[in-house]
Amino acid sequence: MEYHHIKYEQNGPVAIVTFNRPEVKNCIGTRAHRELVDAFDRFRTDDGAKVAVITGAGDSAFCAGGDLKSNLAATEPTNHPDPDVAVLCPVEPADIARHNRGEAPGIIGPSRWTDIYKPIIAAVNGIAYAGGFEWACFADMRIVEEHASFGMTCRRWNIGLADGGTQRLPRIVGMGRALELIITGKVINAEEAYRIGLANEVVPKGAALGRAVELAQYISTLPQPAIHSDKEAAIRGYGKDLDEGLRIEAECFNRLFSDSESRAELSEGLRRFNERDHPDRVRGQAKTPGIIRSEME
């Protein structure tokens, strides 16, 4: 697919997905929706892409959510003749079951997918409102520029959250904080986002993408199978009772032994540990970016 409203770039093992409509604060219409679905399917299936970074073009917006100006016909059927209209239409009945299983895209991209177990980092370089806030929550980590802000501003227009906000935000900041943001639509700055655990790091203006790529490059040097299985266990086990969560963890862990290739990768990891064959295990080597370790290791 040729992309017009997003950009997809490969920087070694790091895939960078950019909302690319800065003239409208990177809001997402139907064309961008389709492009995002294609881009994340490409990332999900490409063995050479180990970590994704999501960001917005320009320096004022990460993403302002759905393109409401081009979706005035939002209640019309989804086969509207204009391909850039009707992204906000309700889910077709035939797709409801797929949506419920996490197999179908959301309203503004693949935001309802729950089976991407590769790491995803959001470089939030400006406003992240409504669906843009939900996209920030889609990521596993958020590197946030000091001028950025977050808000479920769709609350003002009687537009509900349909791209994971009601489910992912409580998992990130807790139910009380999440409900405050969801119900009031209040806008918070980067400092407040960090204080409540929404932002993992706050960086100067213009530095989020570079920092996110630096972190992504480091993550890509780590053995990937255990990262994928642990992320899967964390996502699938969250909210379950302890017995079920531990069952899921064991299932994911045991998969690391499931075939000869997996066992060979695990054996290689054990060799590297015993031979201290990794920068984290060798005294005097460069520090892991943003990670503190004991000098006794």
Side-chain angles (χ1 to χ4, degrees):
M1 173 182 287
E2 184 177 357
Y3 301 140
H4 298 276
H5 290 178
I6 72 164
K7 290 194 297 184
Y8 186 98
E9 304 167 277
Q10 192 86 23
N11 184 351
V14 179
I16 303 173
V17 180
T18 305
F19 305 120
N20 192 32
R21 301 181 71 201
E23 70 281 1
V24 290
K25 299 191 181 302
N26 297 318
C27 64
I28 300 171
T30 302
R31 178 170 301 191
H33 162 85
R34 292 195 301 266
E35 292 173 5
L36 285 165
V37 170
D38 185 84
F40 275 91
D41 187 58
R42 178 177 171 184
F43 167 67
R44 178 169 58 179
T45 58
D46 181 0
D47 291 339
K50 300 184 184 303
V51 184
V53 172
I54 316 169
T55 194
D59 61 4
S60 66
F62 172 72
C63 175
D67 187 352
L68 303 187
K69 289 185 177 179
S70 70
N71 283 284
L72 298 178
T75 58
E76 296 186 13
T78 54
N79 62 352
H80 192 281
D82 183 345
D84 288 322
V85 171
V87 70
L88 296 179
C89 288
V91 178
E92 293 288 353
D95 283 338
I96 288 177
R98 293 179 61 231
H99 279 273
N100 290 343
R101 293 194 302 268
E103 297 173 359
I107 302 299
I108 51 173
S111 50
R112 290 190 181 129
W113 288 358
T114 58
D115 63 346
I116 300 180
Y117 300 128
K118 296 179 179 182
I120 301 171
I121 304 171
V124 183
N125 58 314
I127 64 171
Y129 291 167
F133 194 164
E134 293 180 285
W135 263 104
C137 293
F138 182 78
D140 305 309
M141 292 168 272
R142 284 151 291 282
I143 309 300
V144 178
E145 294 186 7
E146 58 192 1
H147 70 292
S149 58
F150 299 82
M152 296 300 187
T153 53
C154 52
R155 184 58 54 245
R156 305 168 186 175
W157 324 121
N158 195 37
I159 296 172
L161 301 174
D163 290 270
T166 66
Q167 301 305 303
R168 291 192 176 100
L169 185 59
R171 287 164 165 79
I172 297 167
V173 302
M175 185 62 77
R177 293 290 186 189
L179 285 177
E180 177 187 10
L181 293 170
I182 290 168
I183 291 170
T184 67
K186 68 183 286 187
V187 172
I188 61 172
N189 61 21
E191 181 181 354
E192 177 71 1
Y194 182 77
R195 189 180 72 82
I196 67 175
L198 177 62
N200 296 87
E201 295 182 30
V202 177
V203 298
K205 185 174 183 178
L209 180 58
R211 172 61 183 139
V213 170
E214 176 190 31
L215 183 58
Q217 292 281 7
Y218 165 69
I219 292 170
S220 72
T221 68
L222 298 171
Q224 299 299 299
I227 290 177
H228 298 173
S229 63
D230 285 352
K231 177 178 173 180
E232 178 182 351
I235 290 174
R236 289 177 53 203
Y238 191 92
K240 303 287 197 303
D241 61 52
L242 182 58
D243 286 344
E244 176 62 9
L246 291 173
R247 187 200 66 76
I248 292 169
E249 181 184 79
E251 172 195 326
C252 294
F253 176 76
N254 290 338
R255 201 180 303 138
L256 295 173
F257 300 85
S258 62
D259 55 42
S260 58
E261 182 178 352
S262 297
R263 288 192 294 273
E265 290 174 338
L266 185 59
S267 295
E268 173 63 9
L270 294 173
R271 181 199 66 76
R272 294 179 73 179
F273 172 83
N274 284 295
E275 297 180 13
R276 305 180 71 83
D277 183 17
H278 191 278
D280 276 358
R281 304 296 301 175
V282 180
R283 188 183 301 277
Q285 291 285 343
K287 298 289 187 182
T288 300
I291 297 175
I292 300 174
R293 303 182 312 284
S294 167
E295 290 300 325
M296 298 299 294
E297 292 185 332

